[in-house]
Amino acid sequence: QVQLIESGGGLVQAGGSLRLSCVASGRTFSISTYAMVWFRQAPGKEREFVARINWSGGSTGYADSVKGRFTISRDNAKNTVYLQMNSLKPEDTAVYYCNIPNPGYWGQGTQVTVSS
């Protein structure tokens, strides 16, 4: 069984920074050949794409709303993907989820709250 576990969320003032981590557990599972994606969902809104990274880390993509402020990265040796979030805004408040599109694994989410 494979589990994705997000961490690093919390309460921060506008303009502050947080670094989210997503660790894949499972003794025989490695993320090294898989693309990884971050999504987020705010209350009353649909889940939205935030950032993606290919299997090697050589290609990344971002939603326009976070471009220039967020950075996605990965450490395949640690089975971990990261989301560095800088210059946070109140509209970034949401539950953040990591995802492996194929085979379609999701984490439980971590709450990020940005105060004005």
Side-chain angles (χ1 to χ4, degrees), residues 64-108:
D64 287 342
S65 59
V66 307
K67 198 173 301 179
R69 299 187 297 120
F70 290 12
T71 302
I72 188 171
S73 62
R74 67 192 298 159
D75 187 339
N76 287 342
K78 295 181 178 179
N79 257 11
T80 302
V81 63
Y82 304 97
L83 186 67
Q84 178 67 47
M85 305 185 296
N86 298 326
S87 302
L88 283 162
K89 305 174 180 179
E91 51 262 46
D92 295 319
T93 295
V95 177
Y96 284 71
Y97 300 89
C98 70
N99 163 252
I100 306 179
N102 183 17
Y105 296 132
W106 291 88
Q108 87 291 342

Side-chain angles (χ1 to χ4, degrees), residues 41-46:
Q41 188 166 23
K45 294 185 177 180
E46 294 184 346

Side-chain angles (χ1 to χ4, degrees), residues 10-16 88-93 112-116:
L11 176 64
V12 65
Q13 292 188 35
L88 283 162
K89 305 174 180 179
E91 51 262 46
D92 295 319
T93 295
V112 172
T113 303
V114 184
S115 62
S116 60

Side-chain angles (χ1 to χ4, degrees), residues 8 22 27 36 49 61 67 101 108 112:
C22 174
R27 298 307 294 167
M36 304 284 287
F49 163 80
K67 198 173 301 179
Q108 87 291 342
V112 172

Side-chain angles (χ1 to χ4, degrees), residues 2-8 19-26 29-38 52-57 71-84 98-100:
V2 177
Q3 190 172 31
L4 303 181
I5 304 174
E6 302 96 332
S7 63
R19 189 194 196 201
L20 306 184
S21 299
C22 174
V23 179
S25 64
F29 182 80
S30 173
I31 69 167
S32 62
T33 63
Y34 297 98
M36 304 284 287
V37 187
W38 284 98
R52 61 161 293 277
I53 189 167
N54 79 329
W55 66 273
S56 69
T71 302
I72 188 171
S73 62
R74 67 192 298 159
D75 187 339
N76 287 342
K78 295 181 178 179
N79 257 11
T80 302
V81 63
Y82 304 97
L83 186 67
Q84 178 67 47
C98 70
N99 163 252
I100 306 179

